[in-house]
Amino acid sequence: MGKFGDLLEKQRNFFLQGKTKELSYRIEALKSLQSLIRTNEQDLMIALKKDLNKSEFDTYLTEIGIVLEEIKFTLKHLSVWAKPRRVRSSLATLGSKSYIYPEPYGISLVISPWNYPFQLAIAPLAGAIAAGNCVILKPSELTPNTSAVLAKLISEKFPQEFITVVEGGVEVSTALLNEKFDYIFFTGSVSVGKIVMQAAAKNLTPVTLELGGKSPCIVHEDANLKLAAKRIAWGKFTNAGQTCVAPDYLYVHSRVKKEFLHELKEAIYELYSENIFDTGLFTKIVSEKHFKRLISFLNNGERYLGGKFDETKLTIEPTILDKIHWDDEVMQEEIFGPILPVMGYESLPQSIREIQSRPKPLALYLFSESDMIQEKILNEISFGGGCINDTVYHLSSPYLPFGGVGESGIGAYHGKGSFDVFTHEKSILKQTTRFDLPFRYPTMKNGLKFIKRILN
Ligand code: NAD
């Protein structure tokens, strides 16, 4: 038995008792989670400040508030989602009734990253609870204060056989992946996503993979430049660019590039001030390793704005790099920091081809007033999801399932999507015993003729 064999066995025994499947149990658990978050808001704020220097405003908007909204939405709809639902029957199944029975997978493993260490751990957890699963949650070791608060709060409120937080790094994660789970929900990098999927394949465990990559942001010549600048500045520099769906790089029509960059500078000053080192409110880079990786990009292209950093505080100011080319170092991997490379374009079709020739992005943003251009981009480029004339905001709607495609991920959650990913839909045919139609049996006279008529 593996290191976590005992824990899994405990959870499995509990799951088989059927308690987590009861609607009232799920609702109670979600309400407990809700009150746990509300009453410990301050502890979470402090932990996130220590781990990432997140401001209280950012923490509430992007971590706590968004999760509370998710839970509220789930509580409102759960009784309908969880009910077996009747679907139509076909001619071939005359006399029978057809149903979909939603059922939880069982024991789910949730592995989360450090960039939104609260939201990206608890939002999937809420989905797993709503669907009736037991959960083992492995938060990121790079944000240890938040992980510790999560572990403490969850263990005080929920029995271990229902929900357990397991803290630790790669070793712990690897040991967990050696166990047989019924579902694995992973948020993190593409490279670790591949490791997770390989481990899951050994047991044919279904997975959701919420990964990353380089998300393009296109500013066409007909865009509302001032508004585009403000929305891009916010989407890119919130959380110091450490957002999976942050615009990774800008593609700006050459005719408006100069004017747009000026607007972008103004917007950055307005939202984050001219000197972020004075305000002390700007999110820091999570680790020295990531900090050094980011600093190495600063000599790419031509610096248009920013470039200053404070190594002791692991802080880098919002930085814009102009005159960037596809073969620059900064364009070879997901940036995940407050550095925004800018490329100009003359031909939109050429830019589309460049994007198409690379891994499918998690998000894509287009700023343009033209319906035709908007439809062209939406039809021609495959990506997880995104916005027209905005950035990042699509993930705030419970009606828009959020996830990637291709290398940016598998599966999507938020809103009903969070319930669905942790739910198996069991298809059931309830057959009548009042009569027994003879068509399917080989003994029926002229059976083949009849079957052909029905099935055609
Ligand atoms: P990561 O892949 O390094 O780590 C994620 C989790 O996996 C952590 O809990 C970590 O302990 C664990 N892990 C790391 N190496 C492992 C290994 N070899 N085997 C097993 N487990 C391992 O990612 P990160 O640095 O924490 O997060 C940043 C990445 O996550 C970025 O690529 C970003 O785009 C992506 N991301 C995606 C989303 C999304 O919703 N799609 C959200 C946030 C972040």
Side-chain angles (χ1 to χ4, degrees):
M1 198 188 282
K3 188 176 167 198
F4 292 102
D6 286 344
L7 175 59
L8 261 99
E9 195 175 300
K10 234 179 182 179
Q11 289 213 344
R12 194 160 304 284
N13 288 338
F14 182 66
F15 179 74
L16 291 174
Q17 285 173 24
K19 253 182 146 41
T20 64
K21 291 187 182 176
E22 290 165 15
L23 183 63
S24 57
Y25 190 85
R26 304 186 205 185
I27 290 175
E28 270 323 299
L30 286 170
K31 285 186 175 161
S32 295
L33 188 61
Q34 199 175 37
S35 79
L36 190 70
I37 298 168
R38 285 189 183 136
T39 48
N40 294 282
E41 202 178 289
Q42 211 47 41
D43 286 354
L44 287 166
M45 296 255 187
I46 292 168
L48 283 154
K49 181 86 188 161
K50 280 192 200 154
D51 283 333
L52 288 160
N53 194 38
K54 280 201 197 203
S55 68
E56 294 205 347
F57 179 81
D58 276 357
T59 293
Y60 200 84
L61 183 73
T62 65
E63 302 261 17
I64 296 175
I66 195 167
V67 169
L68 286 175
E69 273 300 304
E70 271 280 310
I71 297 176
K72 199 164 94 185
F73 186 84
T74 306
L75 280 169
K76 191 166 159 204
H77 298 282
L78 186 57
S79 60
V80 175
W81 298 343
K83 242 196 238 145
R85 59 182 193 274
R86 182 146 178 212
V87 294
R88 293 171 62 138
S89 289
S90 68
L91 193 58
T93 58
L94 202 71
S96 68
K97 290 176 183 162
S98 301
Y99 298 88
I100 307 279
Y101 276 71
E103 66 172 15
Y105 279 106
I107 316 299
S108 293
L109 172 65
V110 174
I111 301 178
S112 55
W114 53 263
N115 61 330
Y116 291 90
F118 177 75
Q119 185 214 134
L120 298 174
I122 301 301
L125 172 68
I129 295 173
N133 293 262
C134 294
V135 188
I136 294 178
L137 169 63
K138 210 297 282 170
S140 172
E141 69 281 17
L142 294 186
T143 38
N145 293 289
T146 311
S147 298
V149 174
L150 287 180
K152 177 173 167 283
L153 297 181
I154 296 284
S155 69
E156 282 169 6
K157 198 81 168 191
F158 297 102
Q160 202 196 21
E161 58 271 28
F162 176 30
I163 307 170
T164 305
V165 175
V166 176
E167 289 183 89
V170 178
E171 248 171 70
V172 167
S173 205
T174 307
L176 283 166
L177 288 169
N178 277 332
E179 303 290 344
K180 184 175 177 353
F181 284 88
D182 300 299
Y183 202 86
I184 300 176
F185 188 106
F186 171 80
T187 307
S189 59
V190 175
S191 56
V192 180
K194 289 178 185 172
I195 295 172
V196 170
M197 196 160 171
Q198 250 166 18
K202 275 192 232 138
N203 296 309
L204 292 178
T205 303
V207 291
T208 295
L209 300 177
E210 295 283 341
L211 310 178
K214 288 183 93 62
S215 297
C217 178
I218 304 170
V219 182
H220 199 53
E221 57 180 326
D222 64 344
N224 177 334
L225 296 183
K226 204 176 170 65
L227 201 54
K230 194 168 181 182
R231 291 178 178 166
I232 291 169
W234 173 77
K236 176 70 186 187
F237 298 108
T238 290
N239 212 31
Q242 301 170 112
T243 304
C244 53
V245 286
D248 185 273
Y249 60 93
L250 283 187
Y251 235 151
V252 188
H253 196 287
S254 302
R255 213 170 295 154
V256 294
K257 198 167 105 207
K258 192 166 167 223
E259 187 187 345
F260 174 74
L261 286 181
H262 174 76
E263 293 291 353
L264 188 59
K265 181 164 90 178
E266 294 297 309
I268 291 169
Y269 286 167
E270 184 192 331
L271 298 183
Y272 302 101
S273 90
E274 276 189 47
N275 189 342
I276 57 134
F277 301 103
D278 281 353
T279 64
L281 289 175
F282 203 65
T283 302
K284 68 173 185 172
I285 306 306
V286 70
S287 70
E288 215 176 295
K289 189 174 137 217
H290 283 279
F291 182 81
K292 292 214 161 100
R293 183 180 63 81
L294 289 167
I295 295 301
S296 76
F297 296 142
L298 289 175
N299 58 5
N300 286 199
E302 210 171 83
R303 197 168 310 160
Y304 180 83
L305 182 77
K308 287 204 278 299
F309 53 86
D310 180 343
E311 193 158 0
T312 60
K313 293 198 172 113
L314 295 185
T315 306
I316 305 172
E317 69 177 343
T319 298
I320 300 174
L321 302 176
D322 193 10
K323 309 226 165 96
I324 290 293
H325 300 282
W326 279 112
D327 48 11
D328 284 324
E329 211 190 318
V330 71
M331 294 306 290
Q332 308 314 310
E333 56 182 81
E334 180 181 15
I335 299 168
F336 227 58
I339 298 173
L340 183 58
V342 182
M343 297 187 292
Y345 72 84
E346 315 260 315
S347 148
L348 188 62
Q350 174 61 23
S351 313
I352 292 176
R353 278 195 294 278
E354 292 284 2
I355 297 171
Q356 281 167 334
S357 70
R358 292 175 167 79
K360 294 180 178 180
L362 179 60
L364 183 142
Y365 307 110
L366 168 69
F367 288 82
S368 166
E369 295 296 312
S370 153
D371 290 341
M372 210 179 73
I373 300 275
Q374 293 175 8
E375 289 310 308
K376 185 176 170 62
I377 294 284
L378 296 181
N379 281 327
E380 294 183 18
I381 307 179
S382 178
F383 54 94
C387 308
I388 302 290
N389 292 321
D390 209 339
T391 67
V392 181
Y393 230 51
H394 59 299
L395 64 76
S396 67
S397 168
Y399 299 103
L400 291 174
F402 168 69
V405 57
E407 275 189 40
S408 55
I410 296 173
Y413 74 127
H414 287 181
K416 182 165 186 290
S418 300
F419 174 84
D420 289 341
V421 291
F422 289 102
T423 296
H424 166 62
E425 296 208 321
K426 194 152 76 182
S427 290
I428 296 299
L429 180 94
K430 291 192 181 173
Q431 187 60 281
T432 181
T433 50
R434 281 185 292 120
F435 53 85
D436 185 25
L437 293 175
F439 321 125
R440 68 173 117 165
Y441 302 118
T443 45
M444 190 176 115
K445 204 171 155 219
N446 289 329
L448 179 62
K449 229 177 173 176
F450 198 84
I451 286 282
K452 277 188 166 173
R453 201 176 313 146
I454 290 193
L455 294 185
N456 276 326

